[in-house]
Amino acid sequence: KNFNYGSGFTTGYRNRIEIFEDGKISTGKNCKFGDNVHVVCSNSISLGDDCLLASNIFISDTNHGDGNENPLTPPDKRSLSSNPVIIGKCVWIGEGVCILPGTVIGDGCTIGAHSVVKGDIPPHSIVVGAPAKAVKKYNFETNKWERC
């Protein structure tokens, strides 16, 4: 009841979906998860239609603590904090990407391999790096990707 997926949803092997208490995960139509995708949800994670996820991806709306804990408190003893993750439609998430709590990825984005994503990613952009930064944006007037 806490994981709603649209028609055409497919997964690879060894995926791990963790939903705590009132967490809710939803995907649109035709979402495809590769192998070893790990999703942790205690609040809300949503993906729009036609998202493609490569393998070895981590998506979480949850942290162990809020960043103000004593560093000697064991991480698994810290209270959980969460912030929803929203992934738009037609998003391609590359190999080994990590998407952190509070991230909003706009429609039509490409997330480069091994990027660490946090915050707002503008629609129709290509982002890479750790932390991920936009390097290109699609220009609908010229029908070309342009450097940011």
Side-chain angles (χ1 to χ4, degrees), residues 87-104:
I87 300 170
K89 64 181 180 179
C90 299
V91 173
W92 161 228
I93 300 173
E95 183 81 15
V97 168
C98 178
I99 298 175
L100 300 174
T103 297
V104 177

Side-chain angles (χ1 to χ4, degrees), residues 34-38 52-59 92-100 111-117 129-130:
D35 298 335
N36 301 309
V37 174
H38 182 186
L52 179 62
L53 283 68
S55 297
N56 305 306
I57 292 170
F58 179 68
I59 301 171
W92 161 228
I93 300 173
E95 183 81 15
V97 168
C98 178
I99 298 175
L100 300 174
I111 312 299
H114 303 287
S115 294
V116 177
V117 187

Side-chain angles (χ1 to χ4, degrees), residues 7 27-32 47-53 88-92:
S7 62
T27 76
K29 297 181 291 188
N30 303 316
C31 287
K32 296 170 178 65
L47 292 90
D49 293 342
D50 301 305
C51 288
L52 179 62
L53 283 68
K89 64 181 180 179
C90 299
V91 173
W92 161 228

